[in-house]
Amino acid sequence: MVAAQQRPARRGHIVLPFPHFGPKPWAMRRYQNRHRLLAISLAILAGFVDSLGFLKLDGMFVSFMSGNSTRIAVGSATSVHGSLFAGALIAAFVVGVMAGTLAASGGGRWRKPAVLALVCAILLLACLAEWLVAVPGLVTLLMAAAMGAANAVFQRDNEVSVGVTYMTGTLVKVGQHLAFAITGGPRFAWLPYLLLWSGLIVGAIAGALVYPLLELKALWIAVAGALSLLLWSARMGPLPATP
């Protein structure tokens, strides 16, 4: 058997020393435009809800668990308050991920609407808790659970393919694909990831603007947004059948 010859690099292009690290057709790049728009819209919703939670909790998060993890660590070594509740937020987020995963599994080819229905229901519970139940922290714990569940909307092979509430990995992909672009790879593969990050920023700005006016009553806006995304995903129809 003749060994396969390595294809020579095109003139003017830099050869990466590890070609298997180059761009691959995964995550945001594999989705159709309508699914990309759904992901960006979901990131806007996540940014909105996280902004409300951040302002209510004075610096803790309902979707960004890396920040809460740092809060726990700092609180265990210093006198910074709030570390115990940051742990409760992380637990609520994980429970939300579990519930979202179960909803996706039960939804089958309709898993996106199934998960979004769960997100909408949890956010509605948070609104009702804010209105009817005087239990400190309950509303923000429900917000964290909803954000955990939202990450189960986009899955491939039973793994989360697009994280819509945390953006560190997304920004890593922006940097990677920019590097690939200047070394001869696809020129705009970084753009979907930048738009996803921008969606979260836009949502967070909107949340910060309405919080002084409505405080956590602004969660009703989030419920309306989640319901809109649910109806949109249902209109897209079921996922293709797998053999």
Side-chain angles (χ1 to χ4, degrees), residues 43-44 46-48 50-52 199-209:
I44 293 173
F48 183 85
D50 200 32
S51 181
L52 298 179
L200 185 121
I201 295 297
V202 168
I205 291 172
L209 290 174

Side-chain angles (χ1 to χ4, degrees), residues 10-11 13 30 46 48 54 65 69 72 82 85 91 95 97 111 113 117 120 124 137 146 157 159 166 179 188 207 241:
R10 288 178 291 172
R11 180 176 298 178
H13 283 201
R30 289 183 61 178
F48 183 85
F54 180 85
M65 295 301 117
S69 299
I72 291 175
F85 192 72
V95 170
V97 174
R111 64 172 176 262
C120 189
L124 180 59
D157 301 323
E159 296 286 344
Y166 47 91
F188 298 106

